[in-house]
Each structure stands twice: as structure tokens, then as C-alpha cells.
Amino acid sequence: MRVIIRPTYEEMSKEAALLVKDRMMKKRDFVLGLATGSTPLGLYKELIRMHKEEGLSFKNVKTFNLDEYYGLEPTHPQSYRYFMDTNLFNHIDIEKANTHVPDGKAEDVEKFCQWYEEEIKKAGGIDLQVLGIGGDGHIGFNEPGSSFNSRTRLVALDEQTIKDNSRFFEKIEDVPRFAITMGVGTILEAREIILLANGKKKARPVAQFIEGPITSLVTASALQLHPKVTVFLDEEAASELKRIDYYKFVEEAEKKINKKLF
Ligand code: F6R
């Protein structure tokens, strides 16, 4: 796992955007896995700037989002489809038909989840998956205890997640209790993964998933099993890591020999 630490959220987001741009430029028909939440907003802002000012094109890009609240219409202001449209898709040249967000109103959820998995396969698999991390160490909505082999499915949200996400709703009762999420197994099949985290609140789950044991109680720790993961952190999110000096040393060493040291 590469761990990249930057002093601020803005710098961390810009660094992550450079990686996304680099991978997009290297492959036609790029398949990008996306996350919602507060964390990737800086990354999306930077990708929009790159599109507007540097001609970065999303014309041939397909996207698959990690998750969606179950029961919310795509037009609901707190739905993840709405989030993606307003914070990224409406500002770049992506074909809307190429963007996929799980359908929170799917009637036959099981069938829908299978279809979603098949669509990812049909697209050729995910080239690069963007992740955030929950206060309880989740990726997607794979709450503590989710199997590392789990696939896209309907899940119940953890109390901690409901509390964390209530900041976007008028009252905590309005937060949906269920969601459709890609599984840990689905996420691990992406060819490359980046995880972003910022702020003091993320320091503990970040230290747990990078330096703690691999356990389904911290689903992000499954990333230790993936061969190509880069973690982008600001100083606050990195503050409980024990091996910061080593991560910084590796980054410096990479610059010297002009090679990525995974
Ligand atoms: C969102 C998602 C979640 C978030 C996580 C962090 O699509 O899959 O795992 O990445 O809950 O959320 P924020 O960024 O709001 O702290």
C-alpha cells in the first residue's frame, strides 16, 4: 500500500486527481469506480477544473458508483445519484448513459444487484476505484462484519453510519436504514484502488486499516490484500499512524529513482 500524506485537504485532493488523470490518459474506455460523501468533493472539484482548463475528457469513460440509499428516488437531494449529478457529472463531458449508480428504488433488489455486477463485468471491470472510509472503517456501505467475499447487495446501515450521515438530513429519523452497496469482494476486483481520508475523525479508522490486523470488523483492512492501493491522507487523518516516517521516506525514495515503490 502506498501512503501519501499532504498537509491539507486541498493538496491531498489535488494529488489524488493527478493519479486519476494519469490513469485516464493511459487507457481508452476507462472504467472508474466512484464514491460519494464529503471526502471526494475536493477530488471532483479538481477533476472538473482539469476538464475545463486542461481538456481532460470523460467522453469515453464509464462510471460505477459504490452505493445508494435504499428507498430514495434518484431525484431526492440526499440520493447518491443526485449527489453525483450535481457534484461531478453535470460539470464534465460524460455521457449520462455511461454513469451507473445503484437504483435505490429497485423493485427486485436481488435481481438488480446481479445486473449491476454483470454491467461492471460487461464494461471490462473497474480500472480504478475511488473510496472514502467511514468512522467505523467501512468501505462502500460494507459495515463491520461484512464478508470479504461479499458482492453487491442490500445491507442494513450501522448505527454509527446513520449518526455520521445524519448531518445531511433534517433529522436522524430521515436517514435511510438500508442501502445497496458493492461488496468487499466486488471492490477488491478493481485493478487499482485509491482511498482518500481527511480530518481528525478519520485518524483512528485510517490507522486501523493500514497498520492493524486484517479483519472484517474494519472492512477497509481488506485493502491490505489488494496489490495496488494508494491512500491519500491529510496530516490530521494520518495523525495516528505509527509508520509515517517510513511512508514519507518511500515517497522521497520514489522521486529519487523515478519509480513507484509498492
Ligand atoms: C460513499 C461511501 C462511504 C463513504 C464513507 C465516508 O459512497 O461509499 O463509504 O466513503 O462513509 O463518508 P464521508 O466522506 O462523508 O466521510
Side-chain angles (χ1 to χ4, degrees):
M1 234 187 260
R2 284 172 75 214
V3 180
I4 308 285
I5 303 163
R6 290 290 175 270
T8 65
Y9 172 67
E10 284 70 30
E11 286 163 274
M12 170 202 109
S13 304
K14 283 186 180 165
E15 199 64 41
L18 283 174
L19 185 147
V20 176
K21 180 183 176 188
D22 174 73
R23 304 304 191 263
M24 277 175 58
M25 306 278 280
K26 283 188 178 137
K27 190 170 180 257
R28 245 193 94 84
D29 303 325
F30 195 73
V31 183
L32 185 57
L34 295 171
T36 58
S38 309
T39 313
L41 283 172
L43 164 67
Y44 296 159
K45 197 169 144 209
E46 183 63 8
L47 289 175
I48 293 167
R49 190 201 62 75
M50 286 171 163
H51 166 67
K52 297 210 159 116
E53 293 174 16
E54 298 170 13
L56 180 68
S57 176
F58 293 77
K59 266 251 166 307
N60 298 311
V61 173
K62 284 200 175 93
T63 65
F64 287 90
N65 263 80
L66 285 166
D67 40 22
E68 176 63 283
Y69 286 122
Y70 183 63
L72 292 196
E73 300 280 351
T75 49
H76 190 290
Q78 295 313 330
S79 79
Y80 286 173
R81 160 54 74 181
Y82 186 89
F83 175 100
M84 288 313 301
D85 284 348
T86 50
N87 289 300
L88 183 63
F89 301 151
N90 290 350
H91 310 285
I92 55 176
D93 62 343
I94 199 157
E95 304 282 347
K96 277 283 170 74
N98 286 340
T99 68
H100 305 81
V101 180
D103 178 4
K105 294 296 274 184
E107 269 179 32
D108 187 337
V109 184
E110 229 171 278
K111 211 162 148 196
F112 174 80
C113 293
Q114 267 171 22
W115 175 85
Y116 202 68
E117 292 267 342
E118 276 156 27
E119 285 303 293
I120 295 174
K121 281 207 185 86
K122 262 202 250 162
I126 292 173
D127 291 304
L128 177 66
Q129 176 67 56
V130 176
L131 297 175
I133 183 168
D136 61 4
H138 71 215
I139 46 174
F141 272 136
N142 294 287
E143 300 291 25
S146 300
S147 161
F148 285 0
N149 284 325
S150 53
R151 312 299 310 183
T152 304
R153 67 204 186 289
L154 183 68
V155 293
L157 300 184
D158 194 86
E159 249 185 73
Q160 167 85 47
T161 303
I162 293 170
K163 224 183 275 163
D164 287 349
N165 291 6
S166 64
R167 68 191 193 276
F168 299 113
F169 293 81
E170 246 174 58
K171 41 188 192 327
I172 195 159
E173 293 75 37
D174 295 342
V175 185
R177 268 38 185 176
F178 299 92
I180 296 175
T181 182
M182 277 187 205
V184 180
T186 322
I187 293 169
L188 289 177
E189 275 169 16
R191 288 182 195 92
E192 182 170 5
I193 297 174
I194 60 173
L195 184 147
L196 286 74
N198 65 288
K200 194 85 198 101
K201 268 198 196 153
K202 298 294 170 72
R204 190 157 163 263
V206 161
Q208 282 176 326
F209 98 86
I210 298 176
E211 296 178 340
I214 297 177
T215 166
S216 67
L217 293 179
V218 179
T219 51
S221 69
L223 300 180
Q224 291 182 29
L225 300 167
H226 192 283
K228 207 169 180 190
V229 178
T230 306
V231 184
F232 293 92
L233 305 172
D234 71 355
E235 295 276 4
E236 285 188 347
S239 60
E240 288 188 31
L241 287 169
K242 293 201 178 74
R243 290 162 49 80
I244 292 191
D245 289 348
Y246 179 69
Y247 309 131
K248 291 191 172 165
F249 167 79
V250 171
E251 210 190 327
E252 281 311 306
E254 280 181 345
K255 278 187 206 137
K256 277 188 200 134
I257 63 165
N258 203 18
K259 273 197 172 59
K260 297 274 171 261
L261 299 164
F262 275 88

